[in-house]
Every structure is written in C-alpha cells, then in structure tokens.
C-alpha cells in the first residue's frame, strides 16, 4: 500500500442522522421533528440523506413513523432519500413512500445477524434477493450495509475474509454501493486499512463507503485512514446522534460537523453548507434536550453565540 498517494479531492458524505441517529432514542420523537431535521439537512446540500427505515415497529418503534416522515419532507432536487428495508414487506412500504434508494442490511458476523434481523447471513442474503430484484424493477438505487465489519458485540473478532465474503454476495445481488460499517466503533486505523483493502478486491473502490461509529473515539482517525486507501464515501450523523438497538453500549456515528471540519481543513470538497449543518445539529439536540456530541458543531455554535438555528 502506497500511503504517500494524494488524498481524494472530493468526497460524498451520506447523512444518516435521521435514521441511524434517531432509531435508538428512547423518547418518542414526533414525525414533525424528524421532517424538520431532514429538511434542514436537505438544505445543507447532502447528496444522500438516510431518512427512514421500514422495519418491524415491534423491533424498532422509533422508526414506525417512516411513511409519515417520507410524505412530509420537502424533496430537494439533487438529494437522494434512502431507507432501510429488511424484506419484501419493508420494500412495499418503501416503494409506496417514494424512497429513492433502498438499503438492505447484512452483517459480517453470524451472531449479529441473528440478533439484528433474526436470521443467519445466508438467510438474509436469500431474503434480500427478492428485495434487490424488486428495487431494480422499479429503478430504485440499491445500497448494501455490512454491519460488524471490524468486530461484533456478541462474537468478538470478525475477519477481513468474512467481510470480503459478504461484500461479494452483496455485489452479486446488484448493490450500487456497499457500506463497510464499524457498528460498535472498535476499529483502529491500520485495521480499517486492512479490511478496506480486502473489500476493494471484491467491489469497486469508488462505490465503497466507510460507516464509522465513535464509541472508542477512533472514527475520525478511521476516516483519515480510509482516505489514505482512497475511499471517497463516508457516513456521518448530525450532532453525533445514534447508537444501535442491537449493539449495547455502541455510541453514535461520527458527527457530521466533525467530519466536515476535518474535510475543510484537508481541502477536500464536500459540497455541503457547514453552517446549516451546525444549525441542524443544535436544533435536534435542543429537541432531544441535550448537548450535541459534535465537538466542532458545539465549538462553532459557541463561537458565534448561536442558540438554535
Ligand atoms: C427483519 C425483521 C422484520 C424480522 O423479524 P421477524 O420477527 O423474524 O419477522 P417476521 O417475518 O416473523 O414478522 C414478525 C412481525 O413483524 C412484522 N414485520 C415483518 N417485517 C416487517 C416490516 N418490514 N415492516 C413492518 N412490519 C414487519 C410482521 O408482519 C409480523 O407482524 P405480526 O404478524 O407479528 O403482527 C425484524 O428482525 C426487524 O425488523 N429488525 C429490525 C432490525 C433493525 O432495524 N436494526 C437496526 C438497523 S441496522 C443498523 O442500524 C446497522 C447499520 C445499517 O446502521 C450499519 C451499522 O452501523 O452496523
């Protein structure tokens, strides 16, 4: 690996706060608040906002208002609105709600697959086959998320080979993009580079993304390590919202404001209005009754004396 190669000139940031960020919140968040959050993020110029999740409301109650949210948002031309879909029931709901991109979600760990979607990895791929075909028939974009690519809360170690194996299966389903996810935020930079290098052998580098949680404070370092490898798509969550209902103790995704601050400093183009994201982060944190987790967002809000945009 030649680490002296230049960093990418631009990256795509996928904002996952309205879905990954909010799904684990214990208090019920109204559809109006979610809609306002998605609209603010759209205005910031994200090319992709993960806005909803059509999963069982018994499993993830917070996402039960997904149809309402999709119906209420103001769609910005140039933004794709994505939703998680575990099966055909979810697909039908996502289609009716007018999502632009369907996200099927598998795991690199058998134990996590069972806890998260109540089936083995092989069973999940079989279920996703119907969803993938239906997405293609309806000309919807198809993304594959791969959880526990760097470690699992139930089985511990996850090998780069098991990541590559599921990446290959998601590619065979026709995924347009694949997310390599550190669900519990345990990865460190060299480990990230090893796994990303292995994933690149199975899927085009320009359609692979890094999805990092910040549980151990490594997310920005892991993004930098992925930039060195040449990855150009990253997921982030405004105000550092989040956690996973099936990964106890896992904290939020890397905060979008922190990623934007780092990209700005590195001279890497994102096409996103930083100030609007800071306001959105302060808005949702105020709604949740707590301070944003984003260091950069809080620093900027404090500096300009902003309360809530
Ligand atoms: C996959 C299932 C549905 C299997 O759940 P199951 O219980 O095995 O499924 P089932 O087919 O037996 O259905 C059970 C009940 O759920 C209903 N049902 C079934 N499907 C749906 C649906 N789509 N929408 C609405 N309802 C649904 C179905 O109709 C039935 O209702 P009942 O007859 O009992 O009244 C369930 O395990 C589930 O919904 N799990 C949710 C998992 C989840 O959302 N996890 C969090 C997201 S993943 C994540 O955050 C990781 C990621 C992507 O961010 C990357 C990372 O960081 O790792």
């Amino acid at each position: 690996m030649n680490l002296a190669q230049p960093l990418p000139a631009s990256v795509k940031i996928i904002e996952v706060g309205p879905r990954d960020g909010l799904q684990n919140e214990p208090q019920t968040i109204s559809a109006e608040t979610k809609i306002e959050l998605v609209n603010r993020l759209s205005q910031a110029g994200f090319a992709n906002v993960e806005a909803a999740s059509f999963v069982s409301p018994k499993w993830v109650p917070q996402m039960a208002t997904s149809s309402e949210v999709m119906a209420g948002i103001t769609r910005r031309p140039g933004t794709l609105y994505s939703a998680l879909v575990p099966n055909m029931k979810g697909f039908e709901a996502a289609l009716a709600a007018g999502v632009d991109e369907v996200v099927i979600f598998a795991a690199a760990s058998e134990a996590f697959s069972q806890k998260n979607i109540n089936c083995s990895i092989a069973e999940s791929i079989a279920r996703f086959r119907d969803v993938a075909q239906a997405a293609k028939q309806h000309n919807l974009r198809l993304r594959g998320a791969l959880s526990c690519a760097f470690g699992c809360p139930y089985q511990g170690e996850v090998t780069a080979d098991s990541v590559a194996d599921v990446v290959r299966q998601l590619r065979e389903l026709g995924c347009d993009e694949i997310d390599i996810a550190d669900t519990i935020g345990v990865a460190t930079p060299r480990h990230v580079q090893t796994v990303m290098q292995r994933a690149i052998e199975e899927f085009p580098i320009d359609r692979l993304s890094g999805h990092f949680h910040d549980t151990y404070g490594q997310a920005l370092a892991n993004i930098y390590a992925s930039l060195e490898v040449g990855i150009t798509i990253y997921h982030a969550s405004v105000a550092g919202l989040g956690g996973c209902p099936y990964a106890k103790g896992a904290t939020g995704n890397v905060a979008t404001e922190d990623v934007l601050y780092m990209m700005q400093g590195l001279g890497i183009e994102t096409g996103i209005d930083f100030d609007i994201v800071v306001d959105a982060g302060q808005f949702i944190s105020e709604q949740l009754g707590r301070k944003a987790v984003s260091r950069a967002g809080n620093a900027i809000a404090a500096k300009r004396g902003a309360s809530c945009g």
Side-chain angles (χ1 to χ4, degrees):
M1 187 192 329
N2 175 17
L3 295 184
Q5 66 183 323
L7 299 181
S10 63
V11 293
K12 176 170 86 171
I13 313 275
I14 299 185
E15 172 56 53
V16 298
R19 196 284 303 172
D20 203 0
L22 295 184
Q23 72 180 4
N24 202 34
E25 283 296 328
Q27 57 177 299
T28 304
I29 303 154
S30 71
E32 289 70 31
T33 298
K34 293 173 185 167
I35 290 165
E36 169 84 21
L37 178 64
V38 173
N39 286 345
R40 284 170 177 259
L41 295 167
S42 300
Q43 282 161 17
F46 287 95
N48 192 323
V49 176
E50 204 167 277
S53 180
F54 294 96
V55 298
S56 164
K58 286 182 194 150
W59 286 63
V60 185
Q62 189 66 258
M63 291 289 108
T65 50
S66 286
S67 296
E68 215 180 312
V69 171
M70 287 302 298
I73 60 173
T74 304
R75 289 170 190 247
R76 187 191 79 97
T79 299
L80 292 182
Y81 298 91
S82 318
L84 259 59
V85 165
N87 52 22
M88 282 309 290
K89 184 170 175 129
F91 179 81
E92 295 303 337
L95 185 67
V99 306
D100 302 307
E101 181 183 64
V102 160
V103 184
I104 50 179
F105 51 108
S109 138
E110 280 295 346
F112 189 80
S113 183
Q114 289 290 352
K115 294 275 184 192
N116 193 36
I117 50 176
N118 206 22
C119 64
S120 69
I121 296 171
E123 285 164 342
S124 74
I125 297 293
R127 265 185 215 171
F128 295 147
R129 189 159 290 118
D130 292 341
V131 175
Q133 276 170 5
K136 297 284 167 192
Q137 271 164 18
H138 289 89
N139 291 320
L140 298 181
R141 207 165 183 275
L142 180 69
R143 177 147 61 84
L146 182 48
S147 291
C148 295
F150 304 95
C152 169
Y154 307 106
Q155 75 177 44
E157 198 192 333
V158 173
T159 65
D161 282 345
S162 34
V163 173
D165 186 40
V166 187
V167 167
R168 180 185 50 74
Q169 295 183 66
L170 290 171
R171 181 195 72 214
E172 286 167 1
L173 291 181
C175 287
D176 297 301
E177 204 167 298
I178 297 180
D179 315 326
I180 306 298
D182 185 13
T183 312
I184 51 172
V186 288
T188 49
R190 287 276 180 258
H191 184 193
V192 166
Q193 291 181 335
T194 303
V195 172
M196 289 299 191
Q197 289 287 355
R198 192 69 189 78
I200 290 161
E201 291 167 18
E202 302 292 343
F203 197 72
I205 188 168
D206 59 336
R207 295 192 281 126
L208 270 180
S209 76
H211 175 113
F212 296 108
H213 286 257
D214 203 26
T215 319
Y216 289 84
Q218 302 296 298
L220 278 182
N222 290 337
I223 289 176
Y224 192 87
S226 306
L227 285 170
E228 286 188 326
V229 172
I231 301 292
T232 54
I233 310 172
Y234 296 97
H235 293 196
S237 185
V238 67
L241 298 171
C244 175
Y246 300 99
K248 206 162 187 273
T251 60
N253 294 89
V254 65
T256 311
E257 299 91 317
D258 295 353
V259 177
L260 292 175
Y261 184 80
M262 184 174 83
M263 295 299 172
Q264 209 171 60
L266 290 169
I268 296 175
E269 189 54 48
T270 63
I272 293 161
D273 187 317
F274 194 3
D275 285 330
I276 297 180
V277 178
V278 170
D279 287 343
Q282 299 298 303
F283 160 77
I284 191 64
S285 302
E286 192 161 287
Q287 296 294 313
L288 296 172
R290 61 170 190 254
K291 205 171 153 67
V293 173
S294 167
R295 297 261 185 102
N298 288 340
I300 288 164
K303 199 169 160 187
R304 71 187 188 200
S307 54
C308 158

